[in-house]
């Protein structure tokens, strides 16, 4: 990959219910996973007719698959709809039915149903997701319908048809990022039927949620779909209040015809509370740091200020056009304009110093109690972002040199602008917040502070212009063999302006500017062996790269640093049962980041690509019906090898295991139709022990949580479902953060009971 980054000074700133099968499912036997291709499955049409009937039939089957089953057979993750068995890379799909059965109302909770996922308790509130031990940078590796989605808001599932997780390097598909993989949120789309559903949920901590999904057929080839949501709760079970509402609508016309169009919008408004995190604690002052553990308190306890909040909005509009050619080729173009904002005022909770504690003794489990004094800091994150994305993808099939080809090519353009603001202190013409202490015995004490005349200043801004182009060919070289080769080129220019904090009001703000330029290639290779319609095996290799400005931050240390580089290799299989109602996915993989950013020990303040780390492991997913009444979904990852080979510092120096990389993780969920109206379900989520980032020397304990579900269907239209989340009220750390010798964790939700009434209209 050829690329270059350089700094340049700049003179100015810029601103369903289950449908039991009549056929028994057979558990697949064997090994080795998925298999692949990125071919678009465009349907051919009659020259004299505008309607492509096969498209309509197929579309309904695809929609029902995710709504009525845990098993998925198709995806749009790879720049076009294709069979999962034709993708030479690991993909886990969380369908709408699984989301509904487990009452997963956020994308973060839905991601916990995929193995290999862990979470950093990010300083800025963004969701920093780790997959296979590598960060899925929220600004670069999370997508909505294949378009980048910035991590500016707490994502909800009310408009999700499914969640797709692509594992391993994928820069050839998506450009920068994607070392560990990519997450794609698939939106609900209009269908040619009249179908409406309303779900009303009540639960613990005064939880109240209403979701409406309305689909209206407006013409023989046109439909409108509208999804709405409102959710409130005093607590999410982990110390944060909830107050959010959303609306998403799409009008789709020309469905199944030569030219198909859609126009849609999405808006989500969050005004939530925020448990920024709780401090770790040692059993005694003489205990080694390695024994540091979690506080023995109710995870729903909140020690922040009543005036703290985490507000965020996401608004975007999308238009798309799909043209189907007579020869079966297809060209899809979509354009999205988005605007996002975050206004977060939260605070770290820490132990007050020994002099402020009862008896003047420092805090440990030996001295911890209701009178232990806690301090409350101030962490602000005020920012907005405006994006414009456009992309076109072309797919075709043809024969050349006696071989069958499935070719895909595309281009994409991205314009991104982000501004970050800070609050001036009293000395700078604003207001200085002073938060009172509290005690362990007085959670939710209602204390608040008034911002008064808060005065904001712009602290930095980043704007970027980038484009990419790719081509990929899947060639049938023998009856059971396919070879895949893909190549992508990207060019990105990022401009960053930092404004220094004035020491006094009004005080001039000095500006420092940096520029980053990146140009490079990404590659993808694959081999598929498909001996029959049920079994598909693959080998794949792909590259990825991460630019210094991915987090929208450049400076003297990293503006001149070229992108990090990684590669992923894996072998695997996707094995279907004889009736194709159960699928087992298996994979063995290795990912290596061989050019990793590190601080130059000989030149402090300079970032160089001197590091290297690698991981290797095994995965297995199972989804579908074992019998007509018994349905399962499971995802498991074993990651025995994870090592920092070169570079790193302190507890994460060469030879150590990377942080936020548990040896095992996964989920298992199963439901059984006891009688025609009664269905029961149970499941486990589990994760091995892991260290926080910047490993301070201790580990978060391994954990397992149990969830239960019971559903009674009164008729085809009405049902009542009860969920108990974390039945045993297990105390565990869900998100981790380490800093020096301290840090914090965000607890997972304690026991949570919810009841949902569903009406299909």
């Amino acid at each position: 990959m050829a690329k270059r980054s350089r700094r340049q000074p700049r003179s100015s700133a810029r601103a369903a219910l289950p449908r039991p099968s009549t056929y028994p499912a057979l558990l697949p036997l064997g090994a080795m996973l998925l298999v692949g291709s990125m071919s678009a499955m465009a349907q051919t049409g009659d020259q004299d007719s505008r309607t492509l009937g096969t498209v309509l039939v197929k579309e309904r089957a695809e929609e029902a698959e995710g709504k009525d089953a845990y098993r998925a057979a198709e995806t749009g993750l790879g720049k076009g709809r294709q069979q999962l068995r034709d993708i030479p890379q690991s993909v886990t799909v969380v369908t709408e039915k699984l989301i509904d059965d487990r009452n997963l109302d956020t994308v973060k909770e839905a991601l916990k149903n995929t193995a290999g996922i862990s979470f950093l308790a990010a300083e800025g509130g963004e969701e920093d997701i780790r997959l296979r031990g590598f960060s899925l940078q929220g600004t670069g590796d999370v997508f909505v319908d294949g378009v980048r989605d910035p991590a500016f808001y707490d994502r909800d599932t009310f408009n999700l048809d499914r969640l797709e997780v692509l594992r391993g390097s994928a820069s050839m598909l998506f450009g920068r990022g994607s070392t560990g993989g990519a997450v794609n949120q698939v939106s609900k789309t209009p269908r040619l039927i009249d179908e409406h559903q309303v779900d009303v949920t009540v639960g613990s901590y005064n939880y109240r949620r209403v979701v409406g999904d309305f689909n209206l057929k407006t013409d023989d080839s046109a439909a409108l779909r509208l999804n709405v949501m409102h959710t409130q709760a005093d607590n999410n079970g982990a110390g944060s209040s909830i107050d959010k509402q959303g609306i998403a609508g799409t009008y789709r016309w020309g469905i199944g015809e030569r030219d198909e169009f859609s126009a849609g919008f999405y808006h989500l408004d969050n005004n939530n509370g925020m448990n920024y995190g709780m401090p770790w604690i040692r059993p005694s002052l003489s205990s080694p740091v390695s024994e540091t553990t979690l506080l023995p308190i109710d995870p729903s306890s909140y020690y922040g200020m009543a005036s703290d909040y985490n507000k965020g909005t996401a608004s975007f509009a999308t238009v798309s056009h799909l043209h189907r050619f007579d020869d079966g080729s297809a060209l899809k173009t979509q354009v999205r304009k988005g605007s996002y904002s975050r206004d977060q005022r939260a605070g770290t909770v820490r132990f007050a110093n020994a002099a402020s504690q009862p008896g003047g003794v420092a805090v440990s489990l030996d001295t911890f109690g209701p009178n232990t004094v806690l301090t409350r800091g101030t962490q602000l994150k005020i920012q907005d972002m405006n994006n414009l994305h456009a992309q076109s993808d072309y797919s075709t099939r043809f024969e050349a040199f006696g071989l069958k080809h499935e070719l895909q090519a595309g281009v994409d353009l991205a314009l991104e602008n982000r501004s970050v603001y800070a609050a001036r202190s009293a000395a700078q013409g604003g207001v200085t917040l002073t938060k009172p202490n509290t005690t362990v015995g007085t959670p939710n004490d209602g204390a608040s502070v008034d911002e008064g005349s808060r005065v904001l200043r712009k602290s930095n801004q980043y704007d970027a212009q980038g484009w990419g182009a790719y081509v990929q060919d899947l060639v049938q070289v023998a009856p059971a063999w396919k070879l895949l080769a893909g190549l992508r080129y990207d060019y990105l220019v990022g401009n960053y302006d930092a404004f220094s904090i004035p020491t006094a009001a009004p005080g001039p703000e000095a500006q420092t500017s940096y520029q980053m330029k990146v140009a490079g290639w990404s590659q993808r290779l694959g081999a598929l062996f498909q001996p029959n319609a049920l079994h598909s095996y693959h080998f794949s290799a792909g590259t990825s790269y991460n630019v210094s400005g991915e987090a929208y931050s450049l400076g003297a240390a990293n503006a001149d640093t070229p992108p990090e580089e990684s590669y992923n290799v894996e072998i695997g299989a996707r094995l279907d049962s004889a009736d194709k109602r159960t699928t087992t996915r298996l994979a063995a993989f290795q990912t290596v980041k061989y050019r990793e950013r590190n601080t130059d020990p000989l030149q402090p303040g300079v970032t160089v690509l001197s590091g290297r780390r690698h991981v290797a492991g095994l995965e297995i997913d199972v989804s579908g019906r074992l019998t007509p009444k018994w349905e399962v979904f499971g995802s498991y990852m074993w990651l025995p090898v994870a090592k920092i080979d070169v570079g790193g510092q302190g507890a994460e120096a060469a030879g150590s295991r990377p942080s936020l990389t548990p040896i095992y993780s996964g989920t298992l969920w199963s439901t059984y139709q006891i009688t025609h109206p009664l269905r029961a379900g149970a499941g486990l989520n589990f994760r091995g022990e892991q260290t926080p980032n910047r490993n301070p020397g201790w580990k978060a304990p391994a954990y397992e949580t149990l969830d239960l579900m019971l559903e009674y269907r009164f008729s085809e239209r009405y049902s009542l479902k009860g969920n108990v989340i974390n039945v045993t009220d297990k105390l565990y750390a869900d998100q981790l953060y380490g800093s020096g010798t301290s840090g914090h964790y965000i607890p997972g939700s304690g026991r949570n009971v919810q009841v949902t009434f569903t009406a299909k209209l």
Side-chain angles (χ1 to χ4, degrees), residues 175-493:
R176 66 188 190 272
S178 306
T179 298
V183 175
N184 187 42
Q185 305 164 80
V186 181
S187 304
K188 296 178 180 179
T189 58
R191 299 177 288 157
L192 293 177
I193 57 175
D194 289 326
E195 182 181 68
H196 314 298
Q197 181 171 318
V198 176
D199 299 286
V200 180
T201 305
V202 297
S204 305
Y205 309 107
N206 205 22
Y207 181 92
R208 307 175 305 281
R209 178 176 173 92
V210 179
V211 177
D213 183 355
F214 308 99
N215 192 97
L216 179 66
K217 178 181 177 182
T218 61
D219 197 359
D220 288 342
S221 62
L224 172 69
R225 191 163 187 177
L226 183 68
N227 287 272
V228 295
M229 175 276 298
H230 181 75
T231 306
Q232 286 187 314
D234 297 336
N235 201 301
N236 66 349
S240 297
S241 61
I242 305 172
D243 185 0
K244 58 183 177 179
Q245 43 276 321
I247 181 170
T250 303
Y251 183 62
R252 185 178 171 205
W253 68 99
I255 300 174
E257 298 178 352
R258 190 169 310 283
D259 286 287
E260 182 175 317
F261 302 87
S262 72
F265 69 92
Y266 178 97
H267 177 76
L268 178 67
D269 183 68
N270 291 314
N271 187 11
N272 302 326
M274 186 176 187
N275 180 359
Y276 196 88
M278 298 301 297
W280 305 86
I281 191 170
R282 292 163 65 180
S284 68
L285 295 180
S286 61
S287 301
V289 173
S290 60
E291 294 184 9
T292 299
T293 188
L294 313 180
L295 297 181
I297 59 174
D298 187 331
S300 66
S301 299
Y302 175 66
Y303 294 99
M305 307 293 292
S307 52
D308 288 349
Y309 54 78
N310 181 24
K311 297 179 181 179
T313 64
S315 302
F316 55 82
T318 308
V319 293
S320 70
H321 169 235
L322 173 63
H323 179 75
R324 301 179 174 97
F325 297 90
D326 293 335
D327 63 357
S329 303
L331 176 65
K332 181 177 182 179
T333 300
Q334 55 181 336
V335 178
R336 177 173 300 159
K337 180 69 174 68
S339 178
Y340 310 83
S341 69
R342 180 187 290 275
D343 186 354
Q344 170 197 302
R345 182 173 71 185
T348 50
V349 174
R350 295 288 189 265
F351 296 122
N353 58 37
S356 301
Q357 298 295 345
V361 180
V363 179
S364 67
L365 283 178
D366 289 341
T367 61
F368 182 80
N371 295 322
T372 298
V373 179
L374 302 171
T375 62
R376 301 185 273 208
T378 298
Q379 275 72 37
L380 301 178
K381 197 72 171 183
I382 307 164
Q383 53 197 335
D384 55 56
M385 186 170 187
N386 293 281
N387 291 345
L388 176 64
H389 292 274
Q391 56 191 57
S392 289
D393 300 289
Y394 174 76
S395 61
T396 187
R397 298 184 179 187
F398 61 92
E399 289 192 22
F401 306 106
L403 300 175
K404 295 181 179 179
H405 297 256
E406 297 180 28
L407 184 72
Q408 209 163 7
V411 295
D412 51 65
L413 170 71
L415 303 177
E416 303 172 340
N417 176 269
R418 169 171 169 168
S419 296
V420 178
Y421 303 88
R424 292 178 180 265
S425 67
Q428 300 160 359
V431 60
T432 300
L433 295 179
T434 302
K435 295 184 177 181
N437 293 343
T438 188
T439 63
V440 170
T442 58
N444 307 292
D445 62 3
S448 63
V449 293
D450 186 1
E451 289 182 297
S453 54
R454 182 175 76 168
V455 179
L456 299 180
R457 66 173 188 87
K458 185 178 289 187
S459 60
N460 64 74
Q461 64 184 14
Y462 177 89
D463 64 81
Q465 306 85 41
W467 65 271
Y470 75 95
V471 62
Q472 176 178 272
D473 193 13
L474 180 66
V475 185
Q476 182 100 37
V477 296
W481 287 92
K482 298 177 181 178
L483 297 180
L484 176 76
L487 188 66
R488 178 185 174 99
Y489 178 81
D490 284 280
Y491 182 79
L492 174 71
V493 177

Side-chain angles (χ1 to χ4, degrees), residues 107 111 129 136 141-143 163-166 181-185:
V107 169
L111 282 172
I129 307 162
L136 300 187
D141 299 330
V142 180
F143 301 79
L163 191 68
E164 302 171 324
V165 179
L166 176 69
V183 175
N184 187 42
Q185 305 164 80

Side-chain angles (χ1 to χ4, degrees), residues 420 477 561 575 615 684 758:
V420 178
V477 296
T561 306
L575 310 173
V615 300
L684 292 171
T758 296

Side-chain angles (χ1 to χ4, degrees), residues 19 21 310 428 463 492 587 599 649 715 730:
R19 299 179 181 177
S21 167
N310 181 24
Q428 300 160 359
D463 64 81
L492 174 71
T599 299
Q649 298 176 0
S715 66
K730 177 73 174 183

